[in-house]
Amino acid sequence: MNLAVVLQHSEGLAAARAAELPVTLEAFLAQVQRRAFRVAEMGLGNVDDALDAVQDAMLRLHQHYRQHPAQEWSPLFWGILRRRITDLQRRRKVRSIVVGWLGSVGDDGADGPVWEPADPLADPAREIAGRAAYADLARAVRALPRRQREAFMLRVLEGLDVADTARAMGCSDGSVKTHLSRAMEALRHKLEDWK
């Protein structure tokens, strides 16, 4: 998995997404749900928490912003999802501190369902390599500082432009560029084996 290929692919996705705005909010949510899940899963490292974060973000967008123009849905949604991921990370940290003080609270540790249908035409060797590359990328992205991780996921994985990313992150365009540059440098260093 070459990082330059990922970047080039994300730029093509961003151009394609900009050209075809969904007609309804439901169509937008259907279009974005899989990518949102991947972003949340990378940020949280837990399938159930990722599903909850995406569902909450979708509900909030629908409840509060459905009357907004279609071109505003993407930055609004990603900003809501980013804040929800941050909230869940904070709650997890507080819970781990409390559990550390009080001892185990009785988690059964059961894994939830995987939210990805099997592809019957996939090449098994290629699928295993793809999963390994994704796991390494997810691990490296999770290790990034929060703002760098957000900039990377919104710009590269989601394909938002700098202005929309800045709106979603609540910062300036220059700050987005700085965070992304630092994230890319860290990822290049951590993912050298995948070149």
Side-chain angles (χ1 to χ4, degrees):
M1 171 188 230
N2 189 336
L3 202 51
V5 171
V6 170
L7 286 175
Q8 184 179 20
H9 179 69
S10 71
E11 289 171 359
L13 283 176
R17 285 187 201 128
E20 50 188 58
L21 287 175
V23 176
T24 65
L25 183 58
E26 289 73 21
F28 167 76
L29 293 175
Q31 184 182 49
V32 77
Q33 71 183 0
R34 191 178 189 94
R35 294 187 318 270
F37 171 72
R38 288 293 179 205
V39 167
E41 185 185 34
M42 278 189 187
L44 296 167
N46 180 291
V47 171
D48 292 330
D49 288 346
L51 289 170
D52 288 344
V54 171
Q55 181 178 5
D56 288 347
M58 288 179 166
L59 285 172
R60 283 205 169 108
L61 184 71
H62 190 270
Q63 290 171 343
H64 301 289
Y65 301 105
R66 68 178 168 261
Q67 302 304 331
H68 285 245
Q71 62 268 22
E72 292 182 14
W73 293 338
S74 187
L76 285 169
F77 174 76
W78 292 104
I80 293 167
L81 183 61
R82 178 187 64 82
R83 288 186 294 279
R84 185 66 183 127
I85 289 169
T86 301
D87 288 347
L88 288 171
Q89 289 168 336
R90 287 180 185 147
R91 285 187 188 151
R92 184 184 297 156
K93 184 175 181 179
V94 169
R95 185 176 186 278
S96 71
I97 291 169
V98 170
V99 168
W101 287 338
L102 302 177
S104 179
V105 184
D107 287 340
D108 61 359
D111 287 332
V114 176
W115 193 28
E116 187 169 333
D119 181 6
L121 302 175
D123 174 24
R126 190 177 214 178
E127 187 174 326
I128 290 170
R131 285 183 183 181
Y134 176 78
D136 286 351
L137 176 63
R139 203 173 6 265
V141 169
R142 267 188 234 116
L144 292 172
R146 182 177 60 89
R147 299 297 277 179
Q148 290 179 23
R149 183 175 58 242
E150 291 168 356
F152 176 79
M153 289 191 295
L154 292 173
R155 285 283 293 131
V156 176
L157 298 181
E158 176 50 28
L160 293 181
D161 63 19
V162 174
D164 286 345
T165 302
R167 283 180 43 206
M169 290 178 64
C171 63
S172 69
D173 290 3
S175 183
V176 168
K177 291 175 185 177
T178 299
H179 290 308
L180 181 60
S181 173
R182 290 177 181 164
M184 295 300 291
E185 185 58 36
L187 291 174
R188 276 188 201 100
H189 178 70
K190 289 180 183 179
L191 299 172
E192 268 189 39
D193 294 341
W194 289 103
K195 284 186 179 178

